[in-house]
Amino acid sequence: MMNEQISDASVTGAQDVPGWYPIAASGGVVKRKPIGIKRLGQALVLWRADDGRVVCVPDRCSHRAAALSAGKIRDGCLECPYHGLRFDASGRCVLIPANGVGAAVPQGFDLHPINVREEHGIIWYWYGEGEPAREVPWIPGASEPGFGAAEYWYDAAVPYLRIVENLADFHHFPILHKTMIPGIGTRMDEMDAHVENKIVVFSATMRYEKPGALRRDAKIKASFTLPAIALIEFGGFYVNYFLCPIDDHSCWVFGRYRGVKMPDLIAHAVGKLAARYDRAIFMLQDRHVLLAQGDAPGDLSHFKLYPADRALALLWGLRKQAILEGRRSGTELQNDAAAAAAG
Ligand code: FES
Ligand SMILES: [Fe+2]
């Protein structure tokens, strides 16, 4: 029954949900040097201008395609490491050293900055056709940056959708993570999963079949929204995840930990340790299972699901809706262009 209900939600393709994607942590983009990243299949360079604004351009020099991310920031400009062309924060090429300082720069050397936003301590990148949505996706109650929040990020060689599937699933904890996260029962009780304003809200009590002094109930609360933000309340922490596909095979994972009820100083120190431990759990225990899973990620149609999978099923329903809406707006754009050409 469950499987029938959700098979309709099956969609494939890692990068087909239009939206604002989290591509970097604010703390990772400093004024002193550019950083090179690959997100959604594109090589990008990020740097911070003198006024603090984040600039994003393709990681390719207009001269002979050197990677600008290997360059430097000089006089408020991004300087290519190869022949020293300089580009200001608007992408304009302001210097070609071989032509001489003060020589006018010919047309065609400018870069085309990509529209990014910086909100909630994250750099967001619009992916999709048409006008960017007004708001970046956010979950009410998700943690903001600050001293009490511990942050970490890494590239995982696991497809993005596989990681999203994995995040929306808690009933693997007492099985796959029995050794690294002990003390959780296998039975999911008092489960609730529903959608509120395009956010999947999930809660449950994880219970031992035979409770005992060391076999207590574990409460879990989680929310998910697209393209990929998760807020999980577990083990005394709010764990916020922000994900972005790097390409079809790998994913950027950004985690922000904040203690639920603890002083900032302790939350920061413990959060740092918890974040490292979290990454170790993923790399040692989840990763190989996810890589060995059959069927394409993002396609639930061949899975047999049961009630504990409901958060995933609802999330994939939202995903299908977002893809269809994105396609519709793409078609509308094409129709508008055709009408304009005909008129
Ligand atoms: S390739 Fe960048 S300056 Fe020549
Ligand atoms: Fe896991």
Side-chain angles (χ1 to χ4, degrees), residues 145-152 237 256-260 262-276:
F147 182 66
E151 298 187 342
Y152 72 109
F237 279 93
R256 183 179 287 156
Y257 271 73
R258 191 175 266 279
V260 173
M262 59 180 91
D264 280 357
L265 192 67
I266 294 173
H268 187 78
V270 181
K272 284 237 174 243
L273 291 175
R276 289 218 176 111

Side-chain angles (χ1 to χ4, degrees), residues 272-291:
K272 284 237 174 243
L273 291 175
R276 289 218 176 111
Y277 193 63
D278 182 5
R279 183 180 174 212
I281 293 170
F282 181 79
M283 288 301 191
L284 295 171
Q285 297 191 321
D286 287 293
R287 189 171 164 270
H288 71 278
V289 173
L290 303 192
L291 289 176

Side-chain angles (χ1 to χ4, degrees), residues 186-192 202-209 217-218:
T186 51
R187 201 173 77 214
M188 301 283 275
D189 276 350
E190 293 146 16
M191 250 190 310
D192 178 59
F202 177 82
S203 59
T205 303
M206 301 183 72
R207 207 159 254 154
Y208 281 94
E209 293 293 343
D217 293 353

Side-chain angles (χ1 to χ4, degrees), residues 30-337:
V30 295
K31 281 189 179 166
R32 296 182 307 280
K33 62 180 175 66
I35 62 159
I37 56 174
K38 189 174 175 195
R39 301 284 183 265
L40 295 144
Q42 298 186 66
L44 304 169
V45 55
L46 295 174
W47 61 285
R48 207 175 271 284
D50 283 343
D51 61 3
R53 198 163 27 111
V54 172
V55 183
C56 176
V57 285
D59 194 6
R60 181 189 181 281
C61 181
S62 54
H63 175 220
R64 276 161 49 193
L68 292 166
S69 55
K72 292 196 165 64
I73 305 300
R74 275 195 213 280
D75 296 334
C77 291
L78 174 62
E79 183 187 80
C80 179
Y82 202 1
H83 311 96
L85 265 65
R86 285 192 194 172
F87 305 92
D88 70 13
S90 69
R92 199 163 59 92
C93 181
V94 295
L95 174 68
I96 299 179
N99 286 355
V101 173
V105 173
Q107 278 194 348
F109 283 87
D110 295 348
L111 304 175
H112 302 288
I114 294 163
N115 181 18
V116 291
R117 291 235 196 123
E118 185 170 24
E119 284 178 43
H120 306 293
I122 293 166
I123 318 296
W124 304 84
Y125 168 96
W126 174 257
Y127 178 84
E129 295 184 49
E131 278 296 299
R134 237 176 308 139
E135 307 283 337
V136 300
W138 198 246
I139 294 174
S143 305
E144 297 292 340
F147 182 66
E151 298 187 342
Y152 72 109
W153 54 85
Y154 60 95
D155 295 350
V158 176
Y160 153 79
L161 288 176
R162 272 284 181 270
I163 298 184
V164 180
E165 288 173 0
N166 179 248
L167 275 184
D169 160 8
F170 302 100
H171 45 297
H172 77 276
F173 279 31
I175 311 292
L176 184 61
H177 304 313
K178 189 161 60 182
T179 51
M180 292 187 82
I181 316 177
I184 306 173
T186 51
R187 201 173 77 214
M188 301 283 275
D189 276 350
E190 293 146 16
M191 250 190 310
D192 178 59
H194 62 275
V195 177
E196 277 174 36
N197 299 326
K198 298 200 172 179
I199 296 171
V200 174
V201 180
F202 177 82
S203 59
T205 303
M206 301 183 72
R207 207 159 254 154
Y208 281 94
E209 293 293 343
K210 289 184 188 158
L214 295 173
R215 303 174 134 229
R216 302 235 178 89
D217 293 353
K219 299 251 183 221
I220 195 147
K221 278 192 207 162
S223 309
F224 307 92
T225 194
L226 294 169
I229 302 179
L231 169 60
I232 298 168
E233 189 179 332
F234 182 70
F237 279 93
Y238 293 115
V239 188
N240 307 256
Y241 290 105
F242 308 95
L243 307 177
C244 186
I246 292 173
D247 53 27
D248 285 345
H249 310 287
S250 49
C251 179
W252 179 69
V253 180
F254 173 39
R256 183 179 287 156
Y257 271 73
R258 191 175 266 279
V260 173
K261 281 182 200 155
M262 59 180 91
D264 280 357
L265 192 67
I266 294 173
H268 187 78
V270 181
K272 284 237 174 243
L273 291 175
R276 289 218 176 111
Y277 193 63
D278 182 5
R279 183 180 174 212
I281 293 170
F282 181 79
M283 288 301 191
L284 295 171
Q285 297 191 321
D286 287 293
R287 189 171 164 270
H288 71 278
V289 173
L290 303 192
L291 289 176
Q293 247 178 298
D295 299 358
D299 181 1
L300 305 183
S301 61
H302 304 295
F303 294 168
K304 290 279 179 214
L305 302 183
Y306 46 78
D309 291 307
R310 184 146 176 81
L312 173 60
L314 291 174
L315 191 61
W316 258 220
L318 288 182
R319 192 174 134 68
K320 180 182 183 185
Q321 202 183 328
I323 290 169
L324 294 177
E325 282 169 7
R327 281 190 197 139
R328 200 172 307 128
S329 61
T331 312
E332 277 164 12
L333 286 174
Q334 281 168 13
N335 289 345
D336 289 351

